Amino acid sequence: MTSEGVAYERRGAARVIAPVRPRKLAKVPFVELAEDRLQGVVSSGSDVSRVYVSSITAREHGLSCNTNNNRPCGGLSGAYPCNHLRALVEAAVAQYGIDRVARYLRVEPPEEETEIWSVLHPVAAPGRTPEVFSSFLRHLGYLELPPSTDPLPELQWFPAAGVVR
Amino acid sequence: MLADALRARPPGLDEAFALVDGLDDALVHGLARLDDDRAAALDALVGAFSATPLADRVTEAIGKIISGTVTDEHLAVLAGCRLALLGAAHDALLTDLDAALTRTREPHPAAPAPAGGAAGSMASAGGGQLSAGSRSWLRELAIAGWRGVDHELAAGGSPAVQALLGEPSRRRLAVLLDGFAAELRAAAPVATLPRVPVRRWADLWSRALILAQAGRPAEPGSPVDGRPAGSGTLVDGRLLILGADLHEHPTVFRCQVHGLLETAGGVRLVRTSVAAAKVDTISGAAAWRMLSAFPILLAGLAEHRCLEVARMTLTAGGDLIWDETRASAGEPADPFVSARVLLAGAVATSTAPLDRHPSVIAEPVLLEGYTATAEAFDLGGGTVAVETDRLPAAGPLTPELVAGSTACIGLLRFDGGRWAVQPIAVRSTVRKKAVTAHTGDWALGPTDAKAAKTEAVAGTAVDVLRERAGRLLRK
Ligand SMILES: [Zn+2]
């Protein structure tokens, strides 16, 4: 994988995170694998000021979907996912790759599988809308931080991502 | 000759790395689970430091750690041992490289004695409390070991990082910890990971631990009382750009420019850098958009211009603290011409002692007359590997351009036990046509049609997020 014979274990610049693949953000501005959930924020198709907060728990695959005002999503009925959840999973797979998403949800899709719903066994679950929404706000908060002109020597360990080849 | 120096190893280097590896291996399974072999590897540090001023502290700390007591103070000593060994390796490697390049390097000025009045420039305002959170997470990591990192432990650093991000003077530690934590989260549960980046995580862990010690001076670019805290000198001159090195993790993008600063006193090799916070969905060429606060520097890169600087702070370590209000665009300047005419005679500076480590070496060189492949340059008398992992998507350099190159401005780096060159500019022949490409060419947007299309899609993502942030954060 890397340069001939140089052990991954003894390289300071060993690559750990595969570069995130670019994806369109208008529909799903935020997705993360955190707090034992695949969770994120999905734009409403009809109302620009409304977003849905959707999540799937790892292991149990508990589904939840609510508006940012904590009203239940009309499209989600029990264990049958709404379009927001489908969009969320699609965005997560586009962003992290199916392997990392599957690993996080503790499922093993068959080789060559590009879709994850077939191996999930969803159930209904209570949502954690306020927590996910604050996580989204924290995420957006990075865009508000002032730039820095400090030399930041530790960034030598973090070369900018190469083209996904 | 350069090829010989790149092949040679300074005496003692292997021994120093062997000691570091022993320490690093102990962190894989955690200090709470030291078997006899790993305890012996740690104990070897006691012998290695026996004739140094650190001897007593190392003996005590290692003894306590082996017997099962792991305190912040013991861990600081452990990180200090690593820092000393790798700092010495850095010095030995760079001394040999300087000799081969006939490069003059100024010694680092002795640190001024801490005066009572300097308290204002210490990152102390609430810093003690902020660092304590980081230290306790770093201690938990060391005790559990990388193999013990699960999702919960990986996420455990988040509160500390968020608190640090809110304090501009602690940005350096915040940026490091945020990148480190993101890797641990991506890798968790590490118990099932096929391979662990042992050296890398020990590097990041120990540097974070050193930065989290109380009473560190503020970083040079961070404002103290409204002015940069930098203890450097103010310089006037002309910055001739050699090239840009790009750094990135999920929440940061940084452009570090290597250049030659022409002043009345001569020509110096300097770096200047600008970094912006970002999120993981912003990557590749679109990340340049996050640096829009620095139009003069970006134009210098994209348009190959020199930059006039007036009364800008230059640190003792050779970092020019970039300030757009003290800069203006100058004449067109070809980095290859600047390198050919001035690089050989430029004076280099020395990295601050606590920052020294082989991985921070990024020494600009002009290479010509070699035989290239995408993986290595044959310099005649020896080959040097090409750092193919360091050709960023945010710039036009590709393995094909590198393989077809006849001249290269590169950064010499030492990692994984060998020297390698990271090209930051190449002159190549592609299908019998001469092509020149520099890492910073896309600073104002890609000049290549395909890349411009990708950038436009990703750039829309930046706009979408900014719009959301505006709507949600300020309502
Ligand atoms: Zn829904």
Side-chain angles (χ1 to χ4, degrees):
Chain A
M1 182 180 96
T2 44
S3 332
E4 84 294 335
V6 183
Y8 178 83
E9 284 77 7
R10 301 298 181 207
R11 272 179 65 92
R15 181 80 68 183
V16 178
I17 306 185
V20 159
R21 280 164 291 181
R23 63 177 185 89
K24 292 182 177 165
L25 296 186
K27 199 154 137 201
V28 184
F30 175 59
V31 55
E32 66 171 356
L33 300 167
E35 299 166 67
D36 252 5
R37 281 172 162 76
L38 160 58
Q39 55 191 23
V41 170
V42 183
S43 306
S44 159
S46 51
D47 180 353
V48 287
S49 66
R50 193 192 306 156
V51 292
Y52 287 84
V53 174
S54 314
S55 69
I56 303 176
T57 61
R59 298 187 192 87
E60 290 83 26
H61 310 146
L63 308 183
S64 92
C65 186
N66 294 292
T67 69
N68 46 330
N69 299 323
N70 221 356
R71 295 223 173 88
C73 164
L76 174 65
S77 69
Y80 188 79
C82 57
N83 288 336
H84 309 118
L85 278 160
R86 292 192 176 275
L88 178 78
V89 169
E90 195 182 320
V93 170
Q95 182 165 327
Y96 298 114
I98 193 160
D99 291 346
R100 189 168 159 196
V101 175
R103 182 169 136 96
Y104 198 83
L105 294 177
R106 323 289 199 278
V107 291
E108 282 179 24
E111 203 85 9
E112 306 296 318
E113 183 62 270
T114 55
E115 202 263 355
I116 215 162
W117 284 108
S118 59
V119 288
L120 297 184
H121 306 286
V123 294
R128 289 170 72 256
T129 310
E131 288 87 347
V132 180
F133 201 67
S134 12
S135 188
F136 178 44
L137 294 184
R138 195 162 57 236
H139 182 78
L140 291 179
Y142 279 99
L143 304 182
E144 309 280 303
L145 286 175
S148 170
T149 54
D150 274 331
L152 306 174
E154 287 72 31
L155 286 180
Q156 301 301 332
W157 275 263
F158 296 92
V163 177
V164 184
R165 288 183 240 272
Chain B
M1 192 180 154
L2 184 59
D4 294 330
L6 298 180
R7 205 171 38 234
R9 289 291 169 270
L13 189 79
D14 292 343
E15 290 83 350
F17 275 123
L19 286 164
V20 169
D21 288 346
L23 195 166
D24 294 357
D25 289 343
L27 289 172
V28 174
H29 293 278
L31 300 181
R33 272 176 293 276
L34 290 176
D35 61 15
D36 288 349
D37 286 352
R38 292 188 197 101
L42 284 186
D43 207 43
L45 291 169
V46 175
F49 282 86
S50 61
T52 74
L54 280 172
D56 290 349
R57 295 185 64 187
V58 173
T59 307
E60 200 208 321
I62 301 283
K64 287 278 168 57
I65 288 172
I66 291 175
S67 68
T69 312
V70 182
T71 66
D72 282 2
E73 200 189 330
H74 300 148
L75 292 178
V77 173
L78 207 58
C81 288
R82 223 178 160 275
L83 184 146
L85 289 164
L86 291 162
H90 165 281
D91 291 356
L93 287 162
L94 205 50
T95 301
D96 287 3
L97 185 65
D98 282 343
L101 296 169
T102 60
R103 184 160 289 172
T104 308
R105 188 172 304 276
E106 282 185 351
H108 199 78
S121 70
M122 305 294 274
S124 55
Q129 203 58 35
L130 284 175
S131 301
S134 319
R135 287 200 302 272
S136 91
W137 181 58
L138 293 167
R139 186 182 58 235
E140 286 176 45
L141 288 173
I143 291 171
W146 311 130
R147 285 295 186 196
V149 173
D150 56 12
H151 289 293
E152 194 187 343
L153 182 51
S158 286
V161 172
Q162 292 305 315
L164 287 167
L165 283 169
E167 174 55 46
S169 68
R170 306 313 304 273
R171 193 71 171 267
R172 178 175 171 187
L173 177 57
V175 166
L176 166 58
L177 282 179
D178 216 7
F180 182 30
E183 287 190 7
L184 294 179
R185 286 197 304 270
V190 180
T192 62
L193 204 67
R195 301 184 81 171
V196 174
V198 181
R199 170 82 55 80
R200 175 177 179 80
W201 283 352
D203 278 348
L204 301 182
W205 175 85
S206 56
R207 293 196 58 114
L209 197 69
I210 298 289
L211 290 177
Q213 299 303 308
R216 273 189 63 91
E219 295 307 315
S222 57
V224 171
D225 303 330
R227 289 180 303 113
S231 54
T233 49
L234 294 178
V235 291
D236 295 285
R238 196 160 75 122
L239 178 65
L240 295 150
I241 293 172
L242 290 170
D245 182 19
L246 306 181
H247 305 138
E248 177 184 19
H249 68 49
T251 61
V252 75
F253 178 68
R254 190 266 284 272
C255 169
Q256 182 165 52
V257 175
H258 291 262
L260 297 159
L261 183 68
E262 262 188 327
T263 64
V267 181
R268 287 181 167 281
L269 199 48
V270 300
R271 296 170 301 260
T272 191
S273 78
V274 290
K278 69 172 190 70
V279 293
D280 53 359
T281 40
I282 298 171
S283 190
W288 286 106
R289 293 189 185 212
M290 304 309 292
L291 294 174
S292 59
F294 306 99
I296 298 171
L297 184 64
L298 298 197
L301 287 167
E303 295 165 5
H304 302 166
R305 288 181 180 280
C306 68
L307 298 160
E308 306 287 343
V309 303
R311 299 183 61 72
M312 211 179 270
T313 302
L314 180 66
T315 70
D319 288 291
L320 192 62
I321 305 304
W322 189 254
D323 180 347
E324 289 268 314
T325 67
R326 291 159 190 258
S328 56
E331 298 296 306
D334 177 351
F336 280 96
V337 174
S338 303
R340 196 165 299 132
V341 177
L342 296 171
L343 182 54
V347 176
T349 43
S350 297
T351 301
L354 288 182
D355 293 342
R356 291 180 196 171
H357 184 296
S359 290
V360 305
I361 298 175
E363 215 43 35
V365 285
L366 172 67
L367 301 176
E368 292 174 295
Y370 53 82
T371 311
T373 66
E375 288 81 37
F377 293 160
D378 185 344
L379 303 176
T383 61
V384 58
V386 172
E387 282 276 16
T388 44
D389 289 348
R390 285 185 184 254
L391 298 177
L397 268 68
T398 60
E400 296 71 40
L401 285 171
V402 171
S405 69
T406 53
C408 164
I409 299 175
L411 301 176
L412 285 175
R413 293 185 174 275
F414 190 88
D415 193 16
R418 55 131 202 215
W419 286 100
V421 64
Q422 170 193 356
I424 54 173
V426 290
R427 277 206 172 139
S428 312
T429 309
V430 177
R431 285 181 226 94
K432 295 183 183 165
K433 271 179 64 180
V435 187
T436 308
H438 303 258
T439 305
D441 280 351
W442 297 352
L444 296 176
T447 47
D448 165 270
K450 191 173 156 232
K453 210 171 155 190
T454 313
E455 197 275 345
V457 173
T460 315
V462 178
D463 295 340
V464 167
L465 288 178
R466 281 201 189 285
E467 186 269 337
R468 291 284 165 173
R471 195 189 291 272
L472 295 167
L473 292 179
R474 282 184 286 278
K475 103 177 155 185

